[in-house]
Amino acid sequence: MTDDAGVDGDAETDADDERGGDPEVPADPEHESEIPEDHPRYESLLTRHRIERGVDIGITSKQGLIAEGRGEAFDYLLGEETLPSADAAARAAAAHLLLAEHPVLSVNGNVAALVPGEIVDLAEASGADIEVNLFNRTDERMAAIADHLREHGASEVKGLAADGRIPGLSHERAKVDVDGIGDADVVVVPLEDGDRAEALGAMGKTEIVIDLNPMSRSAQVAAVPIVDNIIRAVPNITRHAAELADASDEELREIVENFDREAALDEAERAIREGDLD
Amino acid sequence: MTDDAGVDGDAETDADDERGGDPEVPADPEHESEIPEDHPRYESLLTRHRIERGVDIGITSKQGLIAEGRGEAFDYLLGEETLPSADAAARAAAAHLLLAEHPVLSVNGNVAALVPGEIVDLAEASGADIEVNLFNRTDERMAAIADHLREHGASEVKGLAADGRIPGLSHERAKVDVDGIGDADVVVVPLEDGDRAEALGAMGKTEIVIDLNPMSRSAQVAAVPIVDNIIRAVPNITRHAAELADASDEELREIVENFDREAALDEAERAIREGDLD
């Protein structure tokens, strides 16, 4: 993304230009497999394809599209790569998940659109539950997201019971499953609204946040803030979880204790401030 | 915007939080007049209201919503205010427009959604034509945008004839009116795709670009890059045009010559890199 990071942009992106101009990539690929993996902007094309598909199947909202744009801008400033500190955060997240009594992955509309299969893989590698959790909750979106996750291999999707509440939030926004997030000791929230991130923290849960803005309240209150694109971060946590599958609890606790959240947030902020923007 | 600048965000924004929590502001105001002008996030609420209305009436595209998000992130990093260099650029833009033989304001989906009345005011203050110009052109969007501009007071809207072409671009993306952008000596393009910005420049036109990313190709090729939110920039050019209405051509040329585009781009980039991000 270089050309149209304006509040005022129409449809003009480098990604579009390249899709339009590159005979190898259909302008509007119906299947991801039509996007060549060695394309220089593969990740960007894949993200765009998935988010647009999310709109088509009713799981990505207008707000979700705007949030996608904010993410693109921050990822651009970060150089569209995983910082060493973000990799360390992903490893600490994996250790937290493996140590947890009851880990839960919280899934919203954009998470489901962007990384449905990757979330299922992470749930399997870490023994976590998957719970759909929407800020603007409607029955239709809840069902569409649950279906989308099941199509990508999820065996159980929580969040539809909504028989529990997060204290301190208004009714609709507080809804969780009693035997899901309500019971979790470790939650992955990629990404969470600041109010809910604070409220979940106040419940004593260990929060792992994935957020491209290191200054966001969610990143600031997380035990483990992963400042990275969700498309890179979720598979990265899974990779670390697989590597750590046979690690002892002592080794896992050491990883958790050695992770420096302040240093990670500082490195990400420095990367945004001082990165090579050309 | 602080909480959800992630590629992975759902519907969670501070603006939403505040709308939801502030009894003065309806959660989904039907009319802008329901948003109190002294609200601390008035501009943000207004922008959000207009862009969502743009979706509802078919003039803001999916790509437009993503571009809106990118703009929000850059504006956040800029401190959501007009830099002195952006104000100088707006003044130089006004001088260019007043000196022009045939100035034209190019309007895309987001421009029409966000500043329809402001564009009409600028056209009146500067004697410029208004031309609708879309990257993803469809007859329906062209008509909807022209209608929206007329509802906001535009007497003539060009772009529907599309009997001219910008050399060096593919057919659909090259379309302009022969007696509009085709004939213009000065064009305001808020904002333009990099390829088209370069192609318009190659035609010898003086380009005034409004773009929140100072590193974008459009900003880089513009004679006058205004790195500012379009919601602030367009009225600001109009204000300068009104102030300069009685200025002599010599005075106007002096303003044009004294504007330092490199310094303006540098100041904007510094503001993003080194701004107070807390």
Side-chain angles (χ1 to χ4, degrees):
Chain A
M1 186 212 76
T2 58
D3 272 8
D4 52 337
V7 75
D8 37 4
D10 189 38
E12 301 95 357
T13 68
D14 272 12
D16 284 331
D17 292 352
E18 286 175 33
R19 272 195 285 190
D22 184 343
E24 285 186 87
V25 186
D28 189 13
E30 190 179 349
H31 301 289
E32 290 180 4
S33 56
E34 294 174 31
I35 307 170
E37 282 189 40
D38 61 352
H39 192 282
R41 294 194 59 80
Y42 173 74
E43 191 180 282
S44 162
L45 294 176
L46 185 67
T47 301
R48 194 59 65 87
H49 175 76
R50 289 187 180 179
I51 204 83
E52 293 191 352
R53 173 111 179 96
V55 174
D56 294 341
I57 61 177
I59 65 181
T60 301
S61 64
K62 280 184 280 192
Q63 295 306 324
L65 287 173
I66 295 174
E68 161 72 14
R70 284 193 296 269
E72 282 186 12
F74 276 97
D75 203 21
Y76 163 72
L77 292 168
L78 278 169
E80 294 178 359
E81 61 184 19
T82 300
L83 296 173
S85 57
D87 184 59
R91 192 167 181 84
H96 269 296
L97 289 169
L98 293 171
L99 284 167
E101 289 284 327
H102 184 194
V104 175
L105 313 179
S106 178
V107 173
N108 66 22
N110 276 21
V111 175
L114 291 170
V115 285
E118 291 82 352
I119 282 287
V120 172
D121 291 344
L122 176 57
E124 280 174 11
S126 64
D129 280 340
I130 296 173
E131 178 162 339
V132 181
N133 208 287
L134 303 181
F135 195 74
N136 290 326
R137 184 188 181 99
T138 68
D139 289 345
E140 293 70 27
R141 279 186 74 214
M142 291 295 291
I145 290 170
D147 285 349
H148 192 59
L149 292 167
R150 287 194 199 99
E151 279 168 24
H152 284 81
S155 50
E156 196 191 353
V157 178
K158 293 185 186 285
L160 303 167
D163 49 0
R165 299 285 176 273
I166 305 169
L169 295 177
S170 66
H171 187 78
E172 281 302 305
R173 290 168 181 182
K175 286 183 175 176
V176 291
D177 278 14
V178 165
D179 67 350
I181 289 174
D183 178 60
D185 54 345
V186 175
V187 286
V188 178
V189 279
L191 56 60
E192 189 52 273
D193 145 78
D195 281 348
R196 273 211 302 210
E198 283 191 352
L200 285 168
M203 289 177 82
K205 300 184 190 304
T206 297
E207 281 187 283
I208 298 161
V209 162
I210 304 175
D211 191 325
L212 277 157
N213 178 1
M215 293 75 78
S216 77
R217 200 148 41 105
S218 300
Q220 294 286 333
V221 302
V224 181
I226 305 176
V227 182
D228 201 5
N229 190 320
I230 190 174
I231 281 226
R232 297 187 298 268
V234 173
N236 201 24
I237 306 172
T238 303
R239 186 176 60 79
H240 284 295
E243 273 181 26
L244 296 171
D246 298 324
S248 66
D249 280 8
E250 196 183 344
E251 291 173 284
L252 295 173
R253 272 191 291 268
E254 198 177 312
I255 291 167
V256 163
E257 279 157 25
N258 285 341
F259 172 68
D260 186 340
R261 63 182 298 288
E262 300 302 330
L265 290 170
D266 286 351
E267 187 190 344
E269 191 171 336
R270 265 200 312 279
I272 287 174
R273 286 178 189 260
E274 298 162 18
D276 176 11
L277 299 179
D278 296 319
Chain B
M1 186 212 76
T2 58
D3 272 10
D4 53 337
V7 74
D8 36 6
D10 188 37
E12 300 94 358
T13 68
D14 273 11
D16 285 329
D17 293 351
E18 284 173 35
R19 271 195 284 189
D22 184 343
E24 285 186 89
V25 186
D28 189 13
E30 190 179 348
H31 301 290
E32 324 187 326
S33 56
E34 294 173 33
I35 306 170
E37 283 190 39
D38 60 352
H39 192 283
R41 293 194 59 81
Y42 173 75
E43 191 180 283
S44 163
L45 295 175
L46 184 68
T47 301
R48 193 61 65 88
H49 175 77
R50 289 186 180 179
I51 203 83
E52 293 191 353
R53 173 110 177 96
V55 173
D56 294 342
I57 62 178
I59 65 180
T60 300
S61 64
K62 280 185 280 192
Q63 296 306 325
L65 286 173
I66 295 174
E68 161 71 14
R70 283 192 296 269
E72 284 186 12
F74 276 97
D75 203 21
Y76 163 71
L77 292 168
L78 279 169
E80 295 179 358
E81 61 183 21
T82 299
L83 297 173
S85 57
D87 184 60
R91 192 167 181 83
H96 270 296
L97 289 169
L98 293 171
L99 284 168
E101 289 284 327
H102 183 192
V104 175
L105 314 180
S106 177
V107 173
N108 65 23
N110 276 21
V111 175
L114 290 170
V115 285
E118 291 83 351
I119 282 286
V120 172
D121 291 344
L122 176 57
E124 281 173 13
S126 64
D129 280 340
I130 295 174
E131 177 162 340
V132 181
N133 207 287
L134 302 181
F135 195 74
N136 290 325
R137 184 187 181 99
T138 68
D139 289 345
E140 292 71 26
R141 280 186 72 215
M142 290 295 291
I145 290 170
D147 286 349
H148 192 59
L149 291 166
R150 288 193 198 99
E151 279 168 26
H152 284 82
S155 51
E156 195 191 353
V157 178
K158 293 184 186 285
L160 302 167
D163 48 0
R165 299 285 176 272
I166 306 170
L169 294 178
S170 66
H171 186 77
E172 280 302 305
R173 290 168 180 180
K175 287 183 174 175
V176 291
D177 277 15
V178 165
D179 66 351
I181 289 175
D183 178 60
D185 54 345
V186 174
V187 286
V188 178
V189 280
L191 56 64
E192 189 52 273
D193 146 76
D195 281 348
R196 274 209 302 209
E198 284 192 351
L200 285 167
M203 290 176 82
K205 300 184 190 303
T206 298
E207 280 186 283
I208 298 161
V209 162
I210 305 175
D211 192 325
L212 277 157
N213 178 2
M215 293 77 77
S216 77
R217 200 148 42 104
S218 301
Q220 293 286 334
V221 301
V224 181
I226 305 175
V227 183
D228 201 5
N229 191 322
I230 190 174
I231 282 225
R232 297 187 298 268
V234 173
N236 200 25
I237 305 173
T238 303
R239 185 175 60 79
H240 283 296
E243 273 181 28
L244 297 170
D246 298 324
S248 67
D249 280 7
E250 196 183 344
E251 290 172 285
L252 294 173
R253 272 193 290 269
E254 197 177 312
I255 291 168
V256 162
E257 279 158 26
N258 285 341
F259 172 67
D260 186 341
R261 62 182 298 288
E262 299 301 330
L265 290 170
D266 286 350
E267 188 192 344
E269 190 170 338
R270 265 200 313 278
I272 286 175
R273 286 178 190 260
E274 297 162 19
D276 176 10
L277 298 178
D278 297 320

